[in-house]
Amino acid sequence: MKVRLGFGLGVQGLRHDDRFAALVDGLERCRFDSLWLSERVAGDAPDPLVGLSFAAGRTERLKLGTSVQVLPGRNPALLAKAWASLDRLSGGRTLPAFGLGNRSEERRVGKECRS
C-alpha cells in the first residue's frame, strides 16, 4: 500500500502572503504528494488557479489540486481552458474539483454574474 500525504491550505489562507513560497518549497522538499487550495469568494485565501500556477512554477513533482473551486458565476469554457493550460504546463499534475459554494454571498455573486 502506498500512502500519499497532501497539504490543504484551507479557506483562510496564510496570515502573511510572503510565506506561501516557503510553504510550497517546503512541501516539495519534504516530498509531500500534493497541495490543495480551496476557494471562498468572500475569503482571504488566494485564488486557486493563481496559487496553483505559482506552485507549479516552483516545483517539479507536487500535484496541484482544488479541494473546492466554486463554479457559479464562471464561464465554463474559460475555466476549462485555464485548467487545461495549467495541466499541460505543469506536466499533468493537476487535480481539479468543483462545487457550488456554501455561502449565500458566493451564490449571490454567481447569480449577479449570470444576469
Side-chain angles (χ1 to χ4, degrees):
M1 176 183 2
K2 184 175 185 177
V3 176
R4 296 182 176 127
L5 295 176
F7 180 86
L9 187 57
V11 296
Q12 297 304 316
L14 295 172
R15 290 189 174 195
H16 303 285
D17 289 337
D18 58 340
R19 294 185 180 175
F20 188 67
L23 171 67
V24 169
D25 295 345
L27 293 173
E28 178 87 351
R29 184 179 60 255
C30 293
R31 304 206 39 89
F32 273 70
D33 181 67
S34 53
L35 169 64
W36 298 86
L37 298 183
S38 296
E39 179 175 48
R40 179 160 290 159
V41 174
D44 293 331
D47 178 85
L49 277 171
V50 173
L52 295 174
S53 296
F54 177 84
R58 296 183 71 89
T59 62
E60 294 181 5
R61 54 165 295 287
L62 192 66
K63 293 184 188 86
L64 312 159
T66 50
S67 40
V68 173
Q69 186 172 22
V70 180
L71 284 179
R74 295 185 183 271
N75 179 312
L78 294 177
L79 185 61
K81 171 73 174 185
W83 272 105
S85 297
L86 178 56
D87 192 58
R88 281 194 330 267
L89 294 172
S90 71
R93 296 185 286 146
T94 62
L95 302 166
F98 306 100
L100 298 177
N102 64 354
R103 297 207 170 225
S104 60
E105 57 264 20
E106 290 171 347
R107 291 191 185 108
R108 187 173 54 252
V109 168
K111 289 178 184 175
E112 290 169 1
C113 292
R114 288 192 301 263
S115 300

